[in-house]
């Protein structure tokens, strides 16, 4: 087997976004595209020589081919060993866990998360560091800098590795270990939650529907829920991962998981419903006739954490991304623990978790997690909820009603305008930015602006500063409007408008969120002129 040094040229636009490099699959399949980026990962992190990595992905189109390329490149770059999930599959949280359990130098995850997959859809590659979390901004900036000067990459001349069989083999001088993608992850879950209680819950007739959305959590949910915990066969649906996610959009929200929503709002709905995304790090929680927003879910998990073995000793602190609703802040205040507000993206939680400042963290985009790994974790959130329900012996509707009665309700919604002309989206942000300073004290659509700024984050652990993380307008009475442009989109710009209103009146806890947010929605239009600037009559997706 020979190692080639392949001459190449820098490829523009290989800047990792909110979560790794994501592009249309045909872009990733262009000559040298994947290779350049992988070489930049190795070069940007001190070289691969002698290192051990974890490799896996969500099974989307090109996952299998990309895995073989990455293995040949790791071998050519002198890596000592790569631990790969069988058939190159690993959910993102399972990859994070393996990196940590095995003490590796990091891992490469092939995924574009909740974005559709297929020959004309999206693909992505992300590097996670030795703590199991997404590389920090400093590291991704270094990788990006390397992509701009790269002149060659290294490639081993070799046949494909058989990744369908568990066990050890070699590729050139590099060791390869193919592992069961589920086993270590399941062991971790069993160490966190009361599996006996969960078994008893299902044995007692508790009915659940888990929609794996034809994505990577299918095998995990089947093994854990139906296998170990004894939920009836058929509890997990769409459990077979497919390269194009069954032609769907593997994003667990009421829009894309509509069939689950229909099931959960039917007459004979099960007790509990849940879904996860392409790579298994997002979650959707829905009770019988009760959708739980991700922001509320984080708050409920925090408020009930001590019911779960792993968190019985209490939480060190909580963290949420800035656009996430302030529901968890209210729980933290009552518990007397710290609540951190970070920029969007899981990478910002890593330092807080590593430093033991936060135990739970979450984002409004269906991401919830804890210090058990360094990624958000879909199935973990589902098991957390099940453990709480098993202890509280109450339906989800009751858990939510109790929560709002105690803490108030933060009505919340996100309006997305997708594939907007980039120049128009930037002009909109510029126009709002120009108003920010003058907004405080002004009345807009019946609300009074209390404060407004462009969010910047000073990491309390490493002192780094991240600027330009979203425009926010706070209203008197606890309402809030946040505007930012997506960092994960692959087409034009996606404008995200985050809307929040606080309600403390016990009589007004069951309103339609879009109605409860009416004033804030009107204020968003008044401040940002969204319709005129985007040329759209309304949002493409409302969550
Ligand atoms: C989106 C979500 C963000 C999440 C990221 C990766 O990023 O909004 O919360 O961390 O996907 O899953 P965005 O497209 O908004 O930059
Ligand atoms: Zn994801």
């Amino acid at each position: 087997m020979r190692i080639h040094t392949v001459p190449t040229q820098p490829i523009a636009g290989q800047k990792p976004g909110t979560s790794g490099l994501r592009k249309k699959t045909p872009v990733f399949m262009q000559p040298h595209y994947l290779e350049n980026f992988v070489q930049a990962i190795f070069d940007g992190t001190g070289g691969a020589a002698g290192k051990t990595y974890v490799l896996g992905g969500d099974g989307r189109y090109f996952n299998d081919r990309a895995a073989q390329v990455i293995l040949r490149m790791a071998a050519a770059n002198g890596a000592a060993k790569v631990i790969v999930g069988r058939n190159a599959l690993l959910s993102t949280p399972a990859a994070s866990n393996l990196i940590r359990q095995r003490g590796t130098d990091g891992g490469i995850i092939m995924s574009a998360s909740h974005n559709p997959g297929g020959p004309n859809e999206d693909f992505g590659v992300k590097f996670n560091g030795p703590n199991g979390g997404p590389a920090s901004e400093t590291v991704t900036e270094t990788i990006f800098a390397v992509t701009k000067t790269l002149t060659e990459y290294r490639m081993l001349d070799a046949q494909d590795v058989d990744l369908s069989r568990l066990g050890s083999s070699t590729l050139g001088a590099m060791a390869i270990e193919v592992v069961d993608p589920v086993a270590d992850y399941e062991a971790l879950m069993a160490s966190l939650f009361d599996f006996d209680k969960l078994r008893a819950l299902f044995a007692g007739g508790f009915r659940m529907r888990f929609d794996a959305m034809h994505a990577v959590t299918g095998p995990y949910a089947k093994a854990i829920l139906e296998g170990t915990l004894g939920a009836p066969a058929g509890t997990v649906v769409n459990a077979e991962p497919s390269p194009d996610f069954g032609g769907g959009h593997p994003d667990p929200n009421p829009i894309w998981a509509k069939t689950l929503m229909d099931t959960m709002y039917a007459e004979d709905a099960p007790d509990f419903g849940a879904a996860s995304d392409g790579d298994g790090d997002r979650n959707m929680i829905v009770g019988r006739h009760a959708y739980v927003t991700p922001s509320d879910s984080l708050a409920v998990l925090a408020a009930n954490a001590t019911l779960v073995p792993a968190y019985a000793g209490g939480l060190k602190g909580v963290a949420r991304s800035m656009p996430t609703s302030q529901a968890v802040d209210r729980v933290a205040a009552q518990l007397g623990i710290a609540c951190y507000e970070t920029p969007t993206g899981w990478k910002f939680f890593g330092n807080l978790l590593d430093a033991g400042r936060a135990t739970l963290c979450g984002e409004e985009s269906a991401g919830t997690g804890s210090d058990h790994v360094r990624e958000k974790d879909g199935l973990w959130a589902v098991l957390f909820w099940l453990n709480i329900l098993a202890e509280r012996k109450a339906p989800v509707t009751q858990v939510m009603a109790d929560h709002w009665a105690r803490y108030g309700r933060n009505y919340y919604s996100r309006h997305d305008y997708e594939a907007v002309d980039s120049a128009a989206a930037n002009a909109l942000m510029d126009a709002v930015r120009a108003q920010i300073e003058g907004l405080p004290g002004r009345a807009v659509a019946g609300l009074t602006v209390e404060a407004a700024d462009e969010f910047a984050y000073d990491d309390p652990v490493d002192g780094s500063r991240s600027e330009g993380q979203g425009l926010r307008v706070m209203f008197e009475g606890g309402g809030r409007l946040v505007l930012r442009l997506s960092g994960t989109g692959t087409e034009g710009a996606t404008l995200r408008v985050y809307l929040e209103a606080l309600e403390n009146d016990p009589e007004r806890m069951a309103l339609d969120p879009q109605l409860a947010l009416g004033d804030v929605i009107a204020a968003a239009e008044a401040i940002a002129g969204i319709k005129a600037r985007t040329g759209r009559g309304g949002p493409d997706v409302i969550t």
Side-chain angles (χ1 to χ4, degrees):
M1 279 181 251
R2 256 188 44 196
I3 294 172
H4 290 278
T5 299
V6 184
T8 188
Q9 285 177 350
I11 297 176
Q14 293 200 322
K15 184 176 167 62
T18 312
S19 188
L21 182 66
R22 287 189 198 166
K23 296 286 170 194
K24 290 287 169 205
T25 312
V27 173
F28 252 109
M29 292 178 78
Q30 279 168 25
H32 308 311
Y33 197 94
L34 171 68
E35 292 84 347
N36 271 21
F37 189 64
V38 171
Q39 188 65 50
I41 290 177
F42 292 145
D43 292 355
T45 54
K51 291 190 178 164
T52 297
Y53 297 104
V54 165
L55 174 67
D58 61 16
R60 69 181 57 227
Y61 186 84
F62 192 49
N63 186 100
D64 49 354
R65 304 300 319 140
Q68 297 291 348
V69 169
I70 294 169
L71 286 173
R72 284 201 285 272
M73 288 187 67
N77 278 275
K81 179 173 182 175
V82 178
I83 302 163
V84 199
R86 184 176 44 218
N87 294 324
L89 290 180
L90 276 176
S91 78
T92 291
S96 180
N97 179 47
L98 266 182
I99 292 169
R100 296 167 64 77
Q101 297 270 320
R102 300 295 199 90
T104 72
D105 298 289
I108 295 179
I109 300 175
M110 300 166 291
S111 169
S113 188
H114 50 289
N115 295 9
N120 294 311
E121 297 296 348
D122 291 358
F123 191 76
V125 171
K126 180 167 83 157
F127 178 71
N128 280 30
N131 74 343
S136 68
E137 276 206 326
T138 324
V139 173
T140 55
E141 284 300 331
T142 310
I143 292 171
F144 179 46
V146 176
T147 69
K148 292 195 276 192
T149 55
L150 201 70
T151 54
E152 57 185 41
Y153 59 81
R154 283 177 286 289
M155 179 68 74
L156 183 76
D157 220 358
Q159 297 294 317
D160 280 2
V161 180
D162 181 1
L163 297 178
S164 67
R165 262 187 309 145
L166 299 180
S168 301
S169 60
T170 54
L171 180 64
M174 183 179 85
I176 290 186
E177 183 184 347
V178 178
V179 298
D180 175 349
V182 178
D184 295 76
Y185 178 81
E186 175 167 349
L188 175 66
M189 293 301 114
S191 75
L192 301 174
F193 301 109
D194 190 337
F195 270 26
D196 289 335
K197 279 244 161 64
L198 297 188
R199 257 182 231 113
L201 182 73
F202 285 116
F206 184 86
R207 289 167 60 224
M208 171 175 179
R209 167 75 55 95
F210 182 94
D211 191 338
M213 304 189 84
H214 305 279
V216 79
T217 45
Y220 293 83
K222 272 236 172 242
I224 297 174
L225 297 173
E226 294 185 12
T228 305
L229 300 178
T235 297
V236 182
V237 298
N238 300 323
E240 201 57 51
S242 90
D244 68 347
F245 307 114
H249 201 127
D251 196 0
N253 64 41
I255 314 289
W256 299 114
K258 182 163 185 312
T259 43
L260 177 64
M261 287 296 279
D262 291 346
T263 304
M264 295 309 299
Y265 278 80
E267 275 286 298
D268 61 342
D271 300 293
F272 188 64
S276 193
D277 73 329
D279 62 330
D281 58 358
R282 294 185 173 204
N283 71 89
M284 174 168 125
I285 300 296
V286 48
R288 178 190 290 143
H289 304 177
Y291 168 69
V292 181
T293 69
S295 294
D296 274 348
S297 177
L298 174 64
V300 169
L301 297 186
N304 293 276
T306 53
L307 297 175
V308 168
Y311 313 106
L315 305 175
K316 293 171 185 149
V318 292
R320 63 164 173 83
S321 67
M322 184 274 281
T324 302
S325 100
Q326 298 161 97
V328 73
D329 303 39
R330 320 195 94 208
V331 175
Q334 284 205 23
L335 292 174
I337 57 174
C339 178
Y340 297 89
E341 186 175 35
T342 59
T344 296
W346 207 260
K347 58 188 168 209
F348 294 100
F349 293 132
N351 279 349
L352 298 171
L353 297 170
D354 283 349
R357 292 195 185 215
T359 309
L360 296 188
C361 37
E363 294 195 276
E364 52 68 40
S365 54
T368 335
S370 88
D371 56 3
H372 70 291
V373 286
R374 292 296 180 273
E375 289 278 4
K376 54 195 180 228
D377 189 345
L379 207 43
W380 164 90
V382 174
L383 293 167
F384 201 145
W385 264 93
L386 286 172
N387 205 149
I388 289 172
L389 295 176
E391 290 291 344
R392 293 201 32 179
K393 300 183 172 56
V396 174
T397 35
Q398 189 62 48
V399 171
M400 293 318 300
D402 292 350
H403 188 90
W404 293 329
R406 177 158 179 188
Y407 299 99
R409 179 168 181 181
N410 289 71
Y411 281 103
Y412 188 81
S413 182
R414 188 178 96 189
H415 292 188
D416 287 340
Y417 297 78
E418 294 178 340
V420 172
D421 174 66
S422 291
N426 284 317
L428 182 150
M429 293 297 283
D430 288 344
V432 177
R433 195 174 288 116
Q435 293 174 59
I436 284 285
E437 224 170 285
L439 282 175
R442 260 186 54 197
V444 189
L447 295 169
T448 304
V449 178
E450 195 173 70
D453 66 4
E454 179 155 29
F455 183 60
Y457 178 63
D458 292 299
D459 188 306
V461 180
D462 66 16
S464 62
R465 183 172 173 85
S466 304
E467 294 185 331
Q469 299 294 329
L471 300 167
R472 45 178 194 175
V473 182
M474 280 67 84
F475 301 104
E476 280 178 6
R480 200 171 63 134
L481 158 69
V482 174
L483 295 158
R484 62 178 281 281
L485 299 182
S486 159
T488 60
T490 53
E491 210 182 323
T494 293
L495 171 69
R496 303 205 194 284
V497 183
Y498 308 84
L499 308 144
E500 179 175 0
L502 174 62
E503 184 58 71
N504 285 315
D505 180 351
E507 300 299 313
R508 295 174 54 82
M509 291 299 164
L511 306 179
D512 171 349
Q514 299 305 319
L515 291 179
L517 291 163
D519 290 348
V520 186
I521 294 171
E525 183 56 37
I527 292 171
I530 300 168
K531 285 185 183 148
R533 289 185 179 276
T534 62
R536 303 284 171 82
D540 297 289
V541 178
I542 295 181
T543 54

